Amino acid sequence: MFINGLVMVKGRRDNYKLKGLRLHMVKHLMHLGIDDVKVLQAMLEIPRHYFVESGFEEWAYKDQAFPIASDQTISRPYTVALQTSLLKLTGSEKVLEIGTGSGYQASILSLLTQKIYTIERHDTLFKQSHKLFQQLELFNIRNYHGDGYKGLPKRAPFDRIIVTAGAQEVPGALVDQLAPSGWMVIPVQSIDKQEMLVVEKKQRGTTQVTQYGECEFVPFLEGKVGRLEHQ
Ligand code: SAH
């Protein structure tokens, strides 16, 4: 529940110190060249510290990745801002995220468009993020426990797809599930580094790939971990 810009979540709280750190984080992102006002506003609004373990609130506002459960990480704020900006959301798009992780990226997306589908392979992270989406009343997010390599054929096509784990290649199933003229933002491993790519689906199923610099993500792995639920 958002009250005067403060989100109330049982057991967690936002305060002026953390809001100040959040503003500082957003100014830093502007300094690094992020200029999409709606993305910056969303990152100012969502309390990033709710997505890290309690006791580590201040770490949430440093521009770095941070450990979460299941040996995974919440992406660094700059990466979240860059990937979100590359999606160029206008408010009407249907978006698929692969790699829910903490749920932070999905929460930012939920303020920027109508409908978000997100898949996580770790059952623990799936359950934790599901609870947080309910507490934050982000009811336009549907989250799934499953293997993101396969996408979500029953909900396809998607106007945008965002992959938040480092892939070895662009999965064909995800390209298939893009709507015509839709695009996917995906970090892909080249010989010695990961690169952020935008893969746009053109007419007759061809794709156009644009590179957006180096990045660093935990690996995109096939298969799911833990029990399969809520599919
Ligand atoms: N978007 C997340 C970042 C999480 S890190 C956030 O905002 O916190 C990447 C996540 O991708 C990890 O949680 C990892 O478990 C998940 N992942 C990796 N391979 C996957 C796959 N094949 N399907 C679904 N999730 C996957």
Side-chain angles (χ1 to χ4, degrees), residues 72-73 97 99-102 105 120-122 147-148 164 220-221:
Q72 302 303 313
T73 56
E97 181 197 25
T100 317
S102 66
Q105 173 72 75
E120 171 56 51
R121 71 190 288 269
H122 283 282
D147 179 6
T164 67
F220 188 6
L221 300 171

Side-chain angles (χ1 to χ4, degrees), residues 26-141:
V26 167
K27 285 184 177 165
H28 168 75
L29 296 173
M30 291 169 75
H31 195 69
L32 293 180
I34 302 295
D35 58 2
D36 186 323
V37 175
K38 286 185 184 160
V39 173
L40 295 165
Q41 271 172 350
M43 292 185 73
L44 196 56
E45 195 163 347
I46 296 284
R48 184 171 156 92
H49 62 277
Y50 288 180
F51 299 82
V52 301
E53 213 177 305
S54 63
F56 293 92
E57 280 79 6
E58 294 186 20
W59 286 84
Y61 295 106
K62 296 180 192 290
D63 191 16
Q64 59 188 52
F66 194 76
I68 55 173
S70 306
D71 279 333
Q72 302 303 313
T73 56
I74 177 174
S75 304
R76 103 177 236 232
Y78 176 72
T79 301
V80 173
L82 176 67
Q83 286 200 289
T84 311
S85 301
L86 290 172
L87 293 174
K88 295 194 175 84
L89 298 173
T90 65
S92 60
E93 296 83 3
K94 192 168 118 183
V95 179
L96 173 66
E97 181 197 25
I98 310 295
T100 317
S102 66
Y104 178 68
Q105 173 72 75
S107 301
I108 297 295
L109 297 174
S110 82
L111 299 191
L112 299 172
T113 194
Q114 277 184 9
K115 190 83 199 176
I116 313 297
Y117 298 89
T118 179
I119 311 175
E120 171 56 51
R121 71 190 288 269
H122 283 282
D123 189 47
T124 304
L125 292 171
F126 158 72
K127 285 188 178 128
Q128 283 180 357
S129 57
H130 184 76
K131 193 170 160 200
L132 208 40
F133 298 145
Q134 296 303 305
Q135 289 175 323
L136 289 168
E137 301 183 4
L138 301 175
F139 299 127
N140 60 344
I141 303 175

